[in-house]
Amino acid sequence: TKIKINLNKIVFEPGEELIITPNVYDQANDLINGNVVLELVDPNGKIESKNINGNSEFKFNLDQFILPGMWIVRVKDGEIISEEKITVNEVRDIDTELRNSTLVITNIGNVDYNDIIKLDLIGEKSYQVNKQVSIKPNQTVVIDLEEEEISGGQYQVVSPGNMITGNVVLTSKTG
Protein backbone atom coordinates (compact mmCIF):
# COMPACT_ATOMS: atom_id res chain seq x y z
CA THR A 1 0.00 0.00 0.00
CA LYS A 2 1.20 3.53 -0.77
CA ILE A 3 -0.08 7.12 -0.69
CA LYS A 4 0.67 9.74 -3.34
CA ILE A 5 -0.14 13.34 -2.41
CA ASN A 6 -1.09 15.61 -5.31
CA LEU A 7 -0.99 19.37 -4.64
CA ASN A 8 -2.18 22.24 -6.84
CA LYS A 9 1.23 23.91 -6.26
CA ILE A 10 4.05 24.06 -3.70
CA VAL A 11 4.57 27.83 -3.14
CA PHE A 12 1.68 29.89 -1.78
CA GLU A 13 0.79 33.45 -0.88
CA PRO A 14 -1.35 34.02 2.23
CA GLY A 15 -5.05 33.89 1.34
CA GLU A 16 -4.61 31.37 -1.49
CA GLU A 17 -6.25 27.96 -1.72
CA LEU A 18 -4.32 24.73 -1.17
CA ILE A 19 -5.87 21.77 -3.01
CA ILE A 20 -4.80 18.34 -1.79
CA THR A 21 -5.71 15.04 -3.44
CA PRO A 22 -4.37 12.04 -1.50
CA ASN A 23 -4.38 8.96 -3.72
CA VAL A 24 -4.18 5.65 -1.85
CA TYR A 25 -3.01 2.59 -3.81
CA ASP A 26 -2.97 -1.10 -2.88
CA GLN A 27 -0.13 -3.52 -3.72
CA ALA A 28 -1.56 -4.06 -7.22
CA ASN A 29 -1.39 -0.26 -7.74
CA ASP A 30 -5.21 0.06 -7.74
CA LEU A 31 -6.89 2.98 -5.97
CA ILE A 32 -8.40 2.12 -2.58
CA ASN A 33 -11.38 4.08 -1.24
CA GLY A 34 -11.67 5.11 2.40
CA ASN A 35 -10.81 7.82 4.86
CA VAL A 36 -7.29 9.07 5.53
CA VAL A 37 -5.90 11.47 8.11
CA LEU A 38 -4.62 14.78 6.72
CA GLU A 39 -2.16 16.71 8.88
CA LEU A 40 -0.93 20.22 8.15
CA VAL A 41 2.22 20.94 10.17
CA ASP A 42 3.21 24.61 10.47
CA PRO A 43 6.85 25.82 10.65
CA ASN A 44 6.68 25.72 14.47
CA GLY A 45 5.57 22.08 14.47
CA LYS A 46 1.93 22.75 15.39
CA ILE A 47 -0.33 20.15 13.76
CA GLU A 48 -3.86 20.62 12.45
CA SER A 49 -5.48 17.26 11.72
CA LYS A 50 -8.61 16.28 9.73
CA ASN A 51 -10.21 13.06 8.53
CA ILE A 52 -10.82 13.33 4.79
CA ASN A 53 -11.80 11.03 1.93
CA GLY A 54 -8.90 9.42 0.15
CA ASN A 55 -8.77 9.89 -3.64
CA SER A 56 -10.88 13.06 -3.34
CA GLU A 57 -9.96 16.72 -3.67
CA PHE A 58 -9.71 18.57 -0.35
CA LYS A 59 -9.59 22.38 -0.42
CA PHE A 60 -7.98 24.36 2.36
CA ASN A 61 -8.01 28.18 2.39
CA LEU A 62 -4.76 29.61 3.71
CA ASP A 63 -5.52 32.48 6.08
CA GLN A 64 -4.33 36.01 5.22
CA PHE A 65 -2.22 35.95 8.39
CA ILE A 66 -0.91 32.37 8.03
CA LEU A 67 2.56 31.69 9.42
CA PRO A 68 5.16 31.97 6.65
CA GLY A 69 7.76 29.28 6.01
CA MET A 70 7.99 25.58 5.25
CA TRP A 71 4.83 23.56 5.99
CA ILE A 72 4.40 19.79 5.84
CA VAL A 73 1.33 18.18 4.25
CA ARG A 74 1.14 14.69 5.76
CA VAL A 75 -1.38 11.98 4.87
CA LYS A 76 -1.76 8.81 6.96
CA ASP A 77 -3.62 5.57 6.29
CA GLY A 78 -2.93 3.26 9.21
CA GLU A 79 0.83 2.71 9.26
CA ILE A 80 1.34 4.21 5.79
CA ILE A 81 2.51 7.84 5.83
CA SER A 82 3.32 10.20 2.98
CA GLU A 83 4.57 13.79 3.20
CA GLU A 84 5.02 16.76 0.89
CA LYS A 85 6.46 20.17 1.73
CA ILE A 86 4.92 23.50 0.77
CA THR A 87 6.17 27.05 1.26
CA VAL A 88 4.06 29.98 2.43
CA ASN A 89 5.66 33.27 1.43
CA GLU A 90 6.25 36.14 3.81
CA VAL A 91 4.11 39.25 3.23
CA ARG A 92 5.13 42.52 4.92
CA ASP A 93 2.40 45.09 4.30
CA ILE A 94 0.34 47.71 6.09
CA ASP A 95 -2.94 49.49 5.43
CA THR A 96 -3.16 53.14 6.45
CA GLU A 97 -6.11 55.44 6.91
CA LEU A 98 -6.22 59.08 7.97
CA ARG A 99 -9.30 59.69 10.15
CA ASN A 100 -9.55 63.35 11.14
CA SER A 101 -6.27 63.96 13.02
CA THR A 102 -5.60 60.27 13.64
CA LEU A 103 -3.51 57.95 11.50
CA VAL A 104 -4.68 54.33 11.77
CA ILE A 105 -2.10 51.72 10.71
CA THR A 106 -3.09 48.04 10.36
CA ASN A 107 -0.67 45.20 9.68
CA ILE A 108 -2.24 43.27 6.78
CA GLY A 109 0.81 41.03 6.31
CA ASN A 110 1.68 37.71 7.94
CA VAL A 111 4.86 38.88 9.74
CA ASP A 112 5.53 41.56 12.36
CA TYR A 113 5.82 45.07 10.89
CA ASN A 114 8.65 46.94 12.61
CA ASP A 115 9.51 50.21 10.93
CA ILE A 116 9.53 53.97 11.15
CA ILE A 117 6.45 55.71 9.76
CA LYS A 118 7.55 59.03 8.26
CA LEU A 119 4.97 61.78 7.80
CA ASP A 120 5.48 65.17 6.20
CA LEU A 121 2.91 67.75 7.30
CA ILE A 122 2.93 70.58 4.75
CA GLY A 123 1.19 73.84 5.59
CA GLU A 124 2.22 77.45 6.41
CA LYS A 125 5.03 75.73 8.31
CA SER A 126 6.13 72.19 7.52
CA TYR A 127 6.83 69.45 10.02
CA GLN A 128 8.14 65.92 9.88
CA VAL A 129 6.80 63.25 12.23
CA ASN A 130 8.75 59.99 12.58
CA LYS A 131 7.13 57.23 14.61
CA GLN A 132 8.63 53.81 15.30
CA VAL A 133 5.88 51.19 15.11
CA SER A 134 5.87 47.50 15.95
CA ILE A 135 2.67 45.82 14.81
CA LYS A 136 1.82 42.11 14.88
CA PRO A 137 -0.21 40.63 11.99
CA ASN A 138 -3.86 41.76 12.04
CA GLN A 139 -3.16 44.35 14.75
CA THR A 140 -3.64 48.12 14.55
CA VAL A 141 -1.81 51.10 16.02
CA VAL A 142 -3.03 54.68 16.13
CA ILE A 143 -0.95 57.86 15.85
CA ASP A 144 -2.79 60.96 17.06
CA LEU A 145 -1.30 63.95 15.25
CA GLU A 146 -2.92 66.31 17.81
CA GLU A 147 -0.43 64.95 20.39
CA GLU A 148 2.58 66.02 18.31
CA GLU A 149 4.38 69.34 18.84
CA ILE A 150 2.84 70.98 15.78
CA SER A 151 1.30 74.44 15.46
CA GLY A 152 -2.42 74.57 14.76
CA GLY A 153 -3.49 74.87 11.16
CA GLN A 154 -4.36 72.97 8.03
CA TYR A 155 -1.81 70.52 6.67
CA GLN A 156 -1.43 68.17 3.77
CA VAL A 157 -0.15 64.84 5.11
CA VAL A 158 2.26 63.02 2.81
CA SER A 159 4.30 59.89 3.36
CA PRO A 160 5.78 58.76 0.05
CA GLY A 161 7.29 55.58 1.49
CA ASN A 162 4.02 54.42 3.00
CA MET A 163 1.56 55.88 0.47
CA ILE A 164 -0.29 58.01 3.03
CA THR A 165 -1.84 61.20 1.72
CA GLY A 166 -4.62 63.37 3.03
CA ASN A 167 -5.45 66.63 4.76
CA VAL A 168 -5.71 67.33 8.45
CA VAL A 169 -6.70 70.35 10.56
CA LEU A 170 -4.89 70.54 13.91
CA THR A 171 -5.78 72.79 16.83
CA SER A 172 -3.07 75.08 18.14
CA LYS A 173 -0.86 73.85 21.00
CA THR A 174 -0.13 77.45 21.99
CA GLY A 175 -3.66 78.19 22.97
Side-chain angles (χ1 to χ4, degrees):
T1 306
K2 68 178 179 181
I3 301 170
K4 174 149 179 29
I5 302 172
N6 296 300
L7 305 171
N8 58 326
K9 58 186 192 169
I10 58 169
V11 178
F12 292 87
E13 297 297 323
E16 289 187 332
E17 186 175 59
L18 165 62
I19 302 173
I20 304 161
T21 307
N23 292 320
V24 184
Y25 299 93
D26 64 14
Q27 291 165 330
N29 231 16
D30 294 324
L31 286 172
I32 307 171
N33 289 322
N35 283 345
V36 294
V37 176
L38 167 66
E39 292 181 347
L40 293 176
V41 185
D42 77 15
N44 293 335
K46 184 177 173 224
I47 299 173
E48 186 175 326
S49 184
K50 286 189 178 306
N51 287 321
I52 64 170
N53 290 326
N55 309 316
S56 297
E57 217 176 64
F58 179 77
K59 295 179 179 179
F60 184 82
N61 289 316
L62 302 175
D63 188 86
Q64 176 184 357
F65 306 108
I66 191 167
L67 196 61
M70 186 71 68
W71 285 66
I72 297 170
V73 177
R74 182 182 297 142
V75 176
K76 297 179 180 179
D77 183 20
E79 299 294 312
I80 311 300
I81 299 172
S82 183
E83 291 184 348
E84 293 289 335
K85 290 182 170 57
I86 64 169
T87 300
V88 175
N89 287 331
E90 193 174 281
V91 174
R92 186 176 179 275
D93 199 8
I94 57 172
D95 183 50
T96 56
E97 182 184 353
L98 192 58
R99 296 183 196 153
N100 299 320
S101 66
T102 304
L103 179 64
V104 179
I105 306 163
T106 304
N107 183 346
I108 58 172
N110 65 346
V111 292
D112 291 356
Y113 186 90
N114 299 305
D115 209 343
I116 296 174
I117 302 292
K118 295 179 181 176
L119 302 173
D120 291 320
L121 278 68
I122 303 162
E124 281 185 32
K125 289 184 178 177
S126 292
Y127 297 89
Q128 188 171 62
V129 176
N130 295 318
K131 285 287 187 184
Q132 175 68 45
V133 294
S134 179
I135 317 169
K136 297 212 170 291
N138 201 25
Q139 288 192 334
T140 298
V141 296
V142 173
I143 297 173
D144 186 351
L145 297 175
E146 286 283 1
E147 293 178 2
E148 300 300 316
E149 292 298 320
I150 297 170
S151 299
Q154 183 166 347
Y155 297 92
Q156 180 184 8
V157 180
V158 181
S159 178
N162 296 308
M163 304 302 287
I164 303 162
T165 57
N167 292 304
V168 63
V169 176
L170 301 177
T171 55
S172 177
K173 288 282 182 196
T174 56

